[in-house]
Amino acid sequence: MNSKSTSDLLTIVSNLGVLIGLIFLIVEISQNSRIASATAQLELAQDRREIYQYADSMIEIDSKFRRGEEVTDIEGVIAARLYESRIRSYETQWHFWINGLVDDDQFEAYQELLEGTINTPIVLQLWEDAKDIYHPEFVRLVDERLMNSPQ
């Protein structure tokens, strides 16, 4: 074999190597996207489980808030912690959404849940008092949603 045909053969082999490397990279990126999406879904499910473990306490406390009854200091702390946890969970869902790990329909459903969570006098007050601890774009989204929601 002469040097020209050897050079041509090496060029073809190196081009094939690059092509195989690109195919491998595409497969890896696809797998990583699916894994990231599954991880996001697991985290959201875990957030919901943690919130629901306090559901019985919150039903009683929520009922008191809605009837305008006094709550104990302990009940107030439980409510504040739980609502902060719920709002933080919604912020996590927002992060997943802006990074493409939660689809638009799923995020819209979460926004409706968020609106229902925040749109009570006590939670609105908690939101106003603590919204500076959340991402500014998430705060903007929530405030716009609340401004446009029926009271």
Side-chain angles (χ1 to χ4, degrees):
M1 225 195 287
N2 66 26
S3 66
K4 169 84 170 108
S5 59
T6 303
S7 174
D8 289 345
L9 182 61
L10 288 175
T11 299
I12 290 171
V13 170
S14 67
N15 285 340
L16 281 174
V18 169
L19 184 60
I20 291 169
L22 285 174
I23 291 170
F24 179 74
L25 182 62
I26 289 168
V27 169
E28 285 292 310
I29 289 172
S30 175
Q31 288 175 342
N32 285 341
S33 293
R34 284 195 305 272
I35 289 169
S37 182
T39 301
Q41 294 302 322
L42 279 170
E43 188 170 325
L44 293 176
Q46 179 63 30
D47 282 351
R48 302 308 297 170
R49 271 192 299 278
E50 288 174 7
I51 288 168
Y52 289 132
Q53 88 185 60
Y54 299 104
D56 291 341
S57 299
M58 278 314 300
I59 290 170
E60 184 179 328
I61 296 168
D62 248 1
S63 295
K64 285 184 173 183
F65 282 138
R66 291 177 193 278
R67 291 188 306 259
E69 295 177 13
E70 287 276 325
V71 294
T72 67
D73 290 343
I74 295 291
E75 289 172 328
V77 169
I78 290 170
R81 292 261 178 162
L82 185 60
Y83 284 124
E84 192 277 330
S85 175
R86 289 175 82 177
I87 294 168
R88 184 66 70 195
S89 174
Y90 294 127
E91 183 186 34
T92 299
Q93 294 159 8
W94 171 79
H95 278 287
F96 289 155
W97 175 68
I98 63 171
N99 288 300
L101 301 174
V102 171
D103 66 33
D104 291 346
D105 291 336
Q106 188 177 13
F107 185 66
E108 177 60 30
Y110 286 131
Q111 285 187 82
E112 290 172 11
L113 289 172
L114 170 66
E115 188 178 314
T117 298
I118 291 182
N119 218 351
T120 60
I122 189 69
V123 184
L124 280 171
Q125 186 59 53
L126 290 168
W127 171 249
E128 288 302 321
D129 292 346
K131 67 183 176 181
D132 60 326
I133 67 172
Y134 300 99
H135 190 284
E137 288 300 309
F138 175 72
V139 171
R140 184 187 58 75
L141 178 106
V142 172
D143 284 345
E144 284 178 6
R145 184 94 186 187
L146 289 172
M147 206 168 47
N148 295 323
S149 73
Q151 298 296 331

